[in-house]
Amino acid sequence: MKKTAGPPPAAPVSPPAERNFFQDVHEVVRLIPPGRVSTYGTIAHYLGARQGSRAVGYALNASNLDAITHRRDAPVPAHRVVNRLGQLTGRHHFPTPTAMQERLEAEGVRVEDDTVVDFKKLLWDPASELE
DNA sequence: AACGTGACCCTAG
DNA sequence: ACTAGGGCCACGT
């Protein structure tokens, strides 16, 4: 016999925080103003995961795949996120290998040799700018 | 369910 | 100065 009501109230304990890393990353990246760039580490650090930089990239990958953030109203400007050296390491994950650079240049960001020029000056740190 | 991978970063020798 | 290793977060097999 099967038990009539079989909905196991598993729910062991509510999670401490339901903050989805994914969504959180998307939100922060969306706050990056045009003409500015940020880094995976900076965002991760701002979210409290200093060493969770990889997850940031993964989240952006999902955004590009139109997986979670399929909002055309507020697309995630993943092209504004580079690594700590200012290199466009994620350009290969864009529709075209040059899409990232072109988008940045369209915003006035100069890119040379797959690296953002004056990247340090254009760096946008939410912890400082967003307070 | 465990292991491995990935758009990374930091610390140690 | 350079090289090596570990660590965190989420996902795929």
Side-chain angles (χ1 to χ4, degrees), chain A residues 98-111:
Chain A
T98 54
M100 191 174 184
Q101 177 171 345
E102 290 182 6
R103 283 187 170 200
L104 284 172
E105 288 180 341
E107 295 181 355
V109 179
R110 272 168 299 191
V111 178

Side-chain angles (χ1 to χ4, degrees), chain A residues 65-111:
Chain A
L65 295 177
D66 194 32
I68 296 178
T69 62
H70 59 103
R71 304 178 117 195
R72 294 176 189 170
D73 266 14
V76 179
H79 61 277
R80 295 183 194 144
V81 183
V82 297
N83 72 346
R84 79 188 256 307
L85 299 176
Q87 297 176 322
L88 284 58
T89 49
R91 80 183 162 165
H92 277 276
H93 288 265
F94 277 77
T96 63
T98 54
M100 191 174 184
Q101 177 171 345
E102 290 182 6
R103 283 187 170 200
L104 284 172
E105 288 180 341
E107 295 181 355
V109 179
R110 272 168 299 191
V111 178

